[in-house]
């Protein structure tokens, strides 16, 4: 089943003066298609949990970190695949900042044409096998979680309406405060990724100074 590509775009930004205004304006233009601010705690995020590809059950609200970033991935999603070099770079960078954790998460339903015909256990198990193939094929270096209900990628309703999307959370309590709609960046040159404005913006929003 094809993944759902994100096309929404929203961004609000405070203005400042002088050179900072010009820099912020440039940043707004470059990021308009990828970001959406939010500050919500009533979207069921406290119930988010998944199983790692190693079989460990992980509840998002129990992760020991001040900030958590969840990148929503889907198979057959070209922007998701193009984003992987940037995600691998961010994974390595954020490891230097222990209070920030980055995970790739997957809705198991999007692997199947008729997910309703399978039990949750079957979907979780088969999706893990298929996701391991994705990891190997595309060189994904992030820790991956196969998500349990109630998490769901849904075009018409819910927190995540397509892939890719990256959710940023504050913890204690777990609150969604920003979401990047679409790929953070599709830059693939390892020499250019650290200088990419979208990547720099993401790191700042994630809490890495």
């Amino acid at each position: 089943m094809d993944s759902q590509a994100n096309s929404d775009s929203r961004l609000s930004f405070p203005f400042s003066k002088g050179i900072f205004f010009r820099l912020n304006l440039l940043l707004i233009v470059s990021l308009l298609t990828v970001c959406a601010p939010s500050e919500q705690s009533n979207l069921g995020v406290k119930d988010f949990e998944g199983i790692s590809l190693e079989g460990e059950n992980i509840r998002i609200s129990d992760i020991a970190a001040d900030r958590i970033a969840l990148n929503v991935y889907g198979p057959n999603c070209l922007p998701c695949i193009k984003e992987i070099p940037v995600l691998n770079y961010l994974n390595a960078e954020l490891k230097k900042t222990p209070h920030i954790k980055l995970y790739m998460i997957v809705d198991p339903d999007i692997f199947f044409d008729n997910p309703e015909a399978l039990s949750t256990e079957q979907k979780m198990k088969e999706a893990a096998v298929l996701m391991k193939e994705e990891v190997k094929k595309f060189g994904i270096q992030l820790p991956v979680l196969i998500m349990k209900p109630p998490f769901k990628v849904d075009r018409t309703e819910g927190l995540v309406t397509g892939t890719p999307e990256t959710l940023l959370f504050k913890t204690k309590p777990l609150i969604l405060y920003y979401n990047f709609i679409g790929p953070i960046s599709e830059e693939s040159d390892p020499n250019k990724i650290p200088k990419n404005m979208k990547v720099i913006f993401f790191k700042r929003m994630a809490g890495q100074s």
Side-chain angles (χ1 to χ4, degrees):
M1 182 175 181
D2 290 342
S3 293
Q4 303 170 13
N6 260 315
S7 60
D8 195 8
S9 61
R10 306 179 294 276
L11 178 64
S12 63
F13 236 109
F15 289 88
S16 56
K17 297 180 180 179
I19 188 170
F20 292 103
F21 171 81
R22 292 193 293 274
L23 288 174
N24 277 342
L25 186 60
L26 176 63
L27 196 58
I28 290 171
V29 172
S30 67
L31 295 171
L32 261 173
T33 60
V34 297
C35 304
S38 185
E39 182 92 19
Q40 303 179 61
S41 59
N42 60 344
L43 296 171
V45 297
K46 64 181 178 57
D47 298 319
F48 283 5
E49 63 179 306
I51 298 177
S52 73
L53 298 185
E54 295 73 39
E56 180 185 2
N57 191 81
I58 296 178
R59 190 174 182 87
I60 303 303
S61 59
D62 291 339
I63 294 173
D66 295 328
R67 304 283 181 98
I68 300 170
L70 302 179
N71 174 264
V72 187
Y73 177 90
N76 304 318
C77 166
L78 187 57
C80 296
I81 295 167
K82 288 185 175 181
E83 187 183 29
I84 289 171
V86 163
L87 292 174
N88 286 342
Y89 164 78
L90 289 171
N91 181 58
E93 283 293 295
L94 295 180
K95 282 183 177 178
K96 302 173 186 176
T97 313
H99 70 274
I100 307 171
K101 300 293 184 183
L102 172 62
Y103 291 86
M104 178 178 283
I105 64 173
V106 183
D107 175 3
D109 282 10
I110 63 178
F111 278 97
F112 309 104
D113 291 329
N114 297 297
E116 63 279 357
L118 301 171
S119 68
T120 298
E121 185 178 353
Q122 286 176 307
K123 287 185 289 188
M124 297 288 291
K125 184 175 181 180
E126 292 184 33
V129 172
L130 294 170
M131 195 61 205
K132 286 179 182 178
E133 295 175 1
E134 298 273 312
V135 168
K136 183 177 180 180
K137 182 177 180 180
F138 298 116
I140 297 169
Q141 297 172 11
L142 290 72
V144 177
L145 299 178
I146 308 298
M147 299 299 287
K148 297 179 178 181
F151 179 85
K152 186 174 181 59
V153 177
D154 192 312
R155 278 186 196 276
T156 58
E157 60 183 24
L159 178 59
V160 180
T161 58
T163 57
E165 186 166 335
T166 304
L167 312 175
L168 293 178
F169 295 90
K170 298 174 184 177
T171 61
K172 304 169 188 176
L174 187 67
I175 295 174
L176 173 68
Y177 71 92
Y178 219 91
N179 59 316
F180 288 73
I181 299 171
I184 295 168
S185 172
E186 294 183 2
E187 179 60 66
S188 59
D189 186 333
N191 295 314
K192 294 180 179 180
I193 289 175
K195 303 173 185 177
N196 183 279
M197 292 297 293
K198 296 176 184 177
V199 173
I200 292 170
F201 180 71
F202 175 85
K203 289 171 68 176
R204 289 175 179 170
M205 289 302 297
Q208 187 178 60
S209 58

